[in-house]
Amino acid sequence: MNKKVIIALSIVTIVIVAIAILWIWNIDSKEKVTDISQYERYLGAEGKYKEHFNTYNDIFPDVIPENAEVKDFIYYYYNPWDACYMGYLVYSCDEDTYTAEYERLKALSSSEDIYIYGATEFPYELCAVYADDYYGYIYALADKSSHQFIYVELQFCNGFSDIDYEKYIPQEHLPKGFSAKPENK
């Protein structure tokens, strides 16, 4: 074979391998879960997304209480180049379950500096929070009047989330002033 044919075959092989790697990588680069029956698989004690960025997410419960009425649930992992995690769970429960979960959350060791990414206040009582000015938030809110808990995870790196979190999490469950969009300061 002449030199030109070998160079052409080498280039074609490199392109095919690069396309295959990108295709395989892209398949595993995002995952969206909305089926609450899959909750423990993803966020249970040994869940697939229970720990990342050196943080164990013990704010989200390991199991959903049996008497909980789940109103909303989504977990979204997206990794275009840097991993982003977004979780959102809302449920209401009876008074005894509410009290037990409230006490569990209050016993967790929360972050001291809780206002990051422009946040100025939380819309409900903040029970537990992990706030990191590089990686974002994990927090739980409580609404005693309706025995409701709101759990939110917005974890990312490089100062912004590649997930359009406002598409999935209602504004009233996000901290006021919070922005993890690419154009944030």
Side-chain angles (χ1 to χ4, degrees):
M1 281 209 260
N2 73 28
K3 211 174 196 180
K4 289 182 181 180
V5 172
I6 292 172
I7 291 172
L9 286 174
S10 296
I11 291 171
V12 169
T13 302
I14 290 169
V15 169
I16 290 171
V17 169
I19 289 170
I21 288 170
L22 286 173
W23 182 76
I24 290 168
W25 178 76
N26 195 35
I27 289 173
D28 194 37
S29 68
K30 64 179 150 180
E31 185 168 22
K32 191 185 311 181
V33 182
T34 57
D35 182 356
I36 194 65
S37 71
Q38 298 295 307
Y39 180 86
E40 288 181 47
R41 179 176 175 205
Y42 292 93
L43 289 165
E46 301 295 321
K48 182 175 181 178
Y49 297 118
K50 194 66 169 182
E51 184 173 0
H52 42 268
F53 298 137
N54 296 321
T55 301
Y56 181 77
N57 182 352
D58 55 353
I59 291 178
F60 276 61
D62 288 340
V63 297
I64 303 296
E66 285 185 26
N67 69 2
E69 180 185 328
V70 175
K71 299 184 179 192
D72 208 354
F73 169 67
I74 185 167
Y75 200 85
Y76 191 4
Y77 163 76
Y78 179 53
N79 188 353
W81 298 109
D82 293 308
C84 297
Y85 305 86
M86 186 209 71
Y88 178 63
L89 169 66
V90 179
Y91 71 79
S92 58
C93 52
D94 66 27
E95 188 169 350
D96 291 340
T97 304
Y98 177 87
T99 301
E101 178 64 358
Y102 182 85
E103 289 173 0
R104 180 191 75 82
L105 290 166
K106 286 300 210 176
L108 295 175
S109 181
S110 289
S111 299
E112 290 183 27
D113 185 10
I114 62 172
Y115 297 112
I116 57 173
Y117 291 89
T120 58
E121 65 180 285
F122 287 85
Y124 296 93
E125 180 184 355
L126 183 64
C127 294
V129 61
Y130 298 142
D132 185 287
D133 60 5
Y134 188 73
Y135 294 123
Y137 274 123
I138 303 173
Y139 59 87
L141 304 171
D143 181 3
K144 186 175 175 116
S145 65
S146 61
H147 292 151
Q148 181 172 271
F149 290 102
I150 300 134
Y151 303 87
V152 175
E153 176 179 1
L154 287 165
Q155 296 272 280
F156 44 84
C157 55
N158 295 331
F160 65 91
S161 177
D162 289 305
I163 298 173
D164 183 7
Y165 56 89
E166 290 178 324
K167 180 178 175 183
Y168 304 102
I169 302 172
Q171 190 68 37
E172 64 265 18
H173 295 158
L174 294 169
K176 290 183 170 94
F178 174 79
S179 176
K181 296 179 181 179
E183 65 273 3
N184 74 12
K185 297 179 181 177

